[in-house]
Amino acid sequence: MRSPAGSKRLGWIFGLVVLVPGVLLAVIAVRSIDREEAYIEKQLEGTLLAEVVYLVSVVETELGRIETEAADSAPLDPLSDPETSLSQWRVASALVGSTFVLSPEFEILWPRASDHLDEGELSFLSLNSDFLSNRLEVPVFEDIAMAFKDEIVVAEQEKRIAGVERQLAKSQFQMDEELQERIYDQASEEGLQAQSRVLLPSAPGADQTEQPPPSIFISRDLRLEEITKDRDKGLISRINENGLELLFWKRLSDGHLVGCVISDTELRERLIALVPEAYTDVRILTLVDEQGQPLVAPQEAETRDYRRPLVARELSAVLPLWEAAAYLTDPGAVSARAGRAARILWALISILFVSILVGGILVLRAVRAEVVLARQKTSFVANVSHELKTPLTSIRMFAEMLKTGRQPSESKRGEYLSLMVSESERLTRLINNVLDFSRMEQGRKRYTMERVDLTALCRELVENQRPRYEQNGFDLELRIDTSADGAVLVEGDPESLKQSLLNLLSNAEKYSGQNKSIEVRLRREEPWVCIDVMDRGRGVPAAQARQIFQEFYRGDDSLTAKVRGSGLGLSITRRILRDHGGDVLYLPREGGGSIFRIQLPVAGQR
Ligand code: ADP
């Protein structure tokens, strides 16, 4: 009954509308799960980078402030009473360490070697006297992007706006790896040194053997005279055996230079004060010195590798090799979080997929059922019209024969009349079935219940039908296996019960094929009374045994195709009997054929 082409098309539609988008969705989701960890890391990196860049900018401002503070507190005329004025300077600013005064010709006027010097002054002189007296070249650092800004910023218009040019050079250099390579090559050709950075920013789990990248600060070797030329104050970083040391210098109006070492302790304290919230649950934000040591670090004795931050930026040409860096507080947290997110996503995808599939299958089944029903209804109309036509034709034929008065004998006449009666009964039964069906559909079917003797009902019905069956070559037998008095009482509507039995009898006739023997058997089987209608036909295939009771359902074998029917008989019979508290069942018959069993509760037992 179900057309394979229609089912195939439905399958295609289901695939296209539900399955393909579902699978696509799942693929996209699974891919995004794979990227979840990288995505969370990137997000975190972005946030941390913003914090680090901000820290770099406040450190730069602070270094400017330190320079101004040292300059503003410096003595104006240190030579008249160097001892007092220089110690006053140290009192005025905690930044000021060992002090010095140089003549315009770079002669060290203070500290005087002839005086009694303390340990600090002695070590200061031993580390710096060659440099201060302009005999030693020291590396002076500069941002490579600034040194080569003309090469980096090519557009003439942008070069004319000084502020824009600097920013542009910096950001273009940051973003373009090819450009970086070219500029570093050019710098080294010009003899400018780029040291390796101390830190190697990388994602957790990245290749541990990688080399740190070159610093963005390149150095050229200069003497003090070249450094101080054309300027009146400044900070010079010196890397010596004590580590990184900052020297401040200022040119006085008479050409002398006064200067000091910037106290390392004070410098670090002031910089630490710039990192307001160094550790949170998520990250550690700190400054790292040229030794790779954090200026601030969590209390707990951690064996963290501070050389591998997640993100880091170099601070300033004044503090070469110092960096602002951010670390994950718990490097495993990202993958744990990603794992959690992935699990939730997986669960959601699975739920989604299962619901799409289940929903799709349900819709498909519903649609298929609708299609089948629609098709059955169409063939129902054709079948019913045909079934109405057949008895009508015979009734008309016999009536016309009687009318012409050419009938040979009285007995033939009787036979025609009884055939006309049974044909019109068939017609009535068919119309009753259709009417009943529509009444049942609308819930309007009413029964007139009374006590019915099934033995009498069966006898009467079989005797009435016998002539027609025998005329068609059938052997119709009625067997009543009940107690002596014979009456079997049930509570029911006699017309409906008759209709049920007629439906089964008519089916036995229609589906018997060549073996034309029908038996009706009435017996008690507590708590039921059963009427078996048995034929020797082809039986019902096991696969269809349930479906035959569905409305409009017709078997799909060649015999059924030849026999006209509405597909309503069994479904109406079942409804009637169930309304009576009983049922109709199909049982395969031993030796071939079908048994359709009516079960009804014996009166008084319902
Ligand atoms: P119809 O007979 O009009 O097709 P029914 O509801 O009475 O509708 O029967 C449904 C189907 O059950 C039939 O099409 C036929 O395939 C099958 N069937 C009914 N009775 C018999 C029977 N006695 N033997 C074999 N098949 C039967």
Side-chain angles (χ1 to χ4, degrees):
M1 197 133 302
R2 188 189 297 163
S3 125
S7 303
K8 221 181 206 169
R9 207 176 60 226
L10 271 178
W12 274 109
I13 293 174
F14 175 68
L16 270 175
V17 175
V18 179
L19 224 52
V20 170
V23 169
L24 276 179
L25 204 74
V27 168
I28 292 171
V30 168
R31 288 183 61 154
S32 84
I33 288 177
D34 277 352
R35 294 192 196 136
E36 185 66 13
E37 187 166 347
Y39 176 70
I40 294 182
E41 212 159 71
K42 267 267 152 322
Q43 242 184 348
L44 214 63
E45 240 178 81
T47 322
L48 294 186
L49 184 64
E51 285 195 284
V52 164
V53 168
Y54 175 69
L55 190 54
V56 169
S57 79
V58 290
V59 166
E60 253 168 32
T61 317
E62 184 64 23
L63 287 171
R65 216 178 282 143
I66 286 171
E67 191 182 305
T68 315
E69 183 181 323
D72 290 352
S73 55
L76 296 173
D77 179 20
L79 286 172
S80 56
D81 181 3
E83 187 130 25
T84 322
S85 60
L86 290 173
S87 65
Q88 269 172 359
W89 189 20
R90 293 168 76 151
V91 171
S93 170
L95 286 166
V96 181
S98 300
T99 50
F100 62 88
V101 182
L102 306 178
S103 75
E105 293 75 32
F106 299 99
E107 191 187 331
I108 302 177
L109 302 177
W110 186 271
R112 279 192 295 252
S114 53
D115 288 355
H116 182 69
L117 297 178
D118 66 22
E119 215 174 287
E121 285 167 324
L122 278 175
S123 109
F124 168 71
L125 275 184
S126 82
L127 291 172
N128 292 301
S129 58
D130 280 352
F131 168 61
L132 292 179
S133 46
N134 203 33
R135 290 198 300 271
L136 182 73
E137 287 186 332
V138 299
V140 173
F141 294 88
E142 190 184 1
D143 190 325
I144 190 167
M146 291 300 101
F148 289 90
K149 59 181 192 297
D150 287 342
E151 277 79 5
I152 297 171
V153 180
V154 274
E156 286 305 319
Q157 201 182 0
E158 284 158 351
K159 276 190 192 169
R160 255 176 270 144
I161 317 165
V164 172
E165 186 190 12
R166 294 170 69 87
Q167 280 311 316
L168 216 68
K170 273 194 181 185
S171 61
Q172 283 192 3
F173 184 77
Q174 283 278 354
M175 288 185 306
D176 188 343
E177 276 183 30
E178 242 171 71
L179 182 70
Q180 288 172 13
E181 220 166 282
R182 188 159 60 78
I183 298 293
Y184 277 117
D185 283 349
Q186 199 173 335
S188 79
E189 270 168 31
E190 291 179 21
L192 299 171
Q193 303 302 318
Q195 276 175 284
S196 279
R197 278 168 74 171
V198 174
L199 302 187
L200 172 53
S202 60
D207 188 3
Q208 297 289 314
T209 56
E210 229 180 289
Q211 284 301 308
S215 165
I216 54 164
F217 299 116
I218 47 163
S219 65
R220 52 184 101 222
D221 292 339
L222 296 175
R223 283 168 206 266
L224 186 57
E225 188 178 2
E226 294 162 300
I227 300 173
T228 54
K229 199 170 60 188
D230 305 333
R231 296 165 65 196
D232 56 5
K233 65 174 191 270
L235 290 169
I236 304 164
S237 55
R238 292 222 48 208
I239 296 172
N240 55 40
E241 59 209 46
N242 292 348
L244 189 123
E245 201 170 58
L246 275 189
L247 293 184
F248 167 76
W249 64 271
K250 179 187 177 185
R251 193 188 306 283
L252 297 172
S253 48
D254 56 5
H256 282 75
L257 295 182
V258 63
C260 67
V261 174
I262 297 290
S263 151
D264 189 52
T265 338
E266 182 64 16
L267 173 71
R268 282 171 186 258
E269 251 164 48
R270 293 204 181 184
L271 294 186
I272 287 169
L274 301 175
V275 191
E277 213 192 348
Y279 348 103
T280 67
D281 293 346
V282 180
R283 58 105 180 101
I284 301 172
L285 179 66
T286 188
L287 298 168
V288 182
D289 67 16
E290 78 286 353
Q291 309 286 340
Q293 291 301 317
L295 268 63
V296 250
Q299 293 297 308
E300 69 253 39
E302 261 197 281
T303 49
R304 182 182 286 280
D305 183 3
Y306 278 98
R307 285 172 190 268
R308 284 185 168 266
L310 185 63
V311 280
R313 281 281 186 276
E314 292 179 85
L315 282 182
S316 154
V318 176
L319 290 172
L321 300 184
W322 283 41
E323 300 205 21
Y327 308 79
L328 293 177
T329 308
D330 174 9
V334 170
S335 60
R337 211 169 108 187
R340 213 163 39 238
R343 273 196 298 281
I344 293 174
L345 255 172
W346 265 119
L348 285 178
I349 290 170
S350 314
I351 292 172
L352 187 79
F353 209 65
V354 168
S355 6
I356 286 178
L357 214 65
V358 170
I361 289 172
L362 288 182
V363 168
L364 198 66
R365 281 173 62 162
V367 170
R368 214 177 250 177
E370 280 301 314
V371 169
V372 169
L373 196 67
R375 211 169 287 140
Q376 285 172 340
K377 279 184 181 168
T378 319
S379 65
F380 162 79
V381 173
N383 288 337
V384 167
S385 326
H386 194 271
E387 266 209 284
L388 289 174
K389 218 171 139 189
T390 321
L392 265 180
T393 314
S394 15
I395 291 171
R396 189 171 166 185
M397 186 182 79
F398 289 124
E400 273 172 2
M401 274 157 100
L402 289 174
K403 193 178 160 197
T404 53
R406 279 196 277 117
Q407 65 279 21
S409 66
E410 197 59 30
S411 66
K412 271 275 176 233
R413 210 179 130 108
E415 195 183 309
Y416 290 170
L417 284 172
S418 70
L419 279 172
M420 279 169 77
V421 171
S422 94
E423 282 299 288
S424 53
E425 266 172 9
R426 220 173 109 189
L427 206 58
T428 314
R429 186 179 54 80
L430 182 72
I431 291 169
N432 275 348
N433 270 348
V434 176
L435 286 178
D436 264 2
F437 174 72
S438 79
R439 281 197 204 108
M440 283 169 174
E441 283 293 279
Q442 294 164 16
R444 287 193 298 112
K445 170 80 182 164
R446 298 273 174 272
Y447 299 102
T448 350
M449 297 303 236
E450 57 189 67
R451 280 211 163 199
V452 183
D453 175 7
L454 276 189
T455 318
L457 185 140
C458 285
R459 275 207 179 103
E460 185 197 331
L461 190 138
V462 170
E463 290 322 314
N464 270 348
Q465 293 298 314
R466 195 184 298 285
R468 198 171 66 83
Y469 278 74
E470 283 176 354
Q471 159 105 16
N472 291 338
F474 274 90
D475 177 15
L476 180 62
E477 196 187 323
L478 173 69
R479 246 175 79 188
I480 297 183
D481 300 347
T482 51
S483 52
D485 69 350
V488 178
L489 295 178
V490 294
E491 202 70 47
D493 175 15
E495 284 315 307
S496 299
L497 293 179
K498 264 191 215 163
Q499 195 188 338
S500 303
L501 192 52
L502 274 172
N503 281 345
L504 297 185
L505 267 179
S506 147
N507 276 355
E509 179 194 359
K510 288 197 292 187
Y511 303 109
S512 268
Q514 294 309 308
N515 211 336
K516 301 186 168 191
S517 143
I518 301 172
E519 188 181 334
V520 180
R521 188 170 159 215
L522 174 80
R523 65 196 168 83
R524 302 237 348 212
E525 192 179 287
E526 295 301 334
W528 307 110
V529 45
C530 300
I531 308 172
D532 287 353
V533 179
M534 305 184 277
D535 61 52
R536 285 285 174 204
R538 45 108 192 160
V540 177
Q544 294 172 14
R546 281 165 63 94
Q547 287 164 301
I548 52 172
F549 293 101
Q550 289 168 7
E551 50 211 30
F552 302 119
Y553 181 85
R554 303 207 67 223
D556 52 7
D557 54 303
S558 57
L559 179 61
T560 311
K562 264 187 262 162
V563 179
R564 288 287 167 170
S566 60
L568 284 181
L570 285 180
S571 71
I572 287 178
T573 305
R574 172 161 272 180
R575 264 218 235 169
I576 291 175
L577 290 165
R578 286 191 173 171
D579 288 344
H580 280 74
D583 206 351
V584 57
L585 310 172
Y586 165 76
L587 306 163
R589 190 177 181 190
E590 226 170 87
S594 322
I595 304 178
F596 281 88
R597 173 170 299 168
I598 291 176
Q599 282 183 331
L600 282 167
V602 179
Q605 292 196 1
R606 264 182 87 180

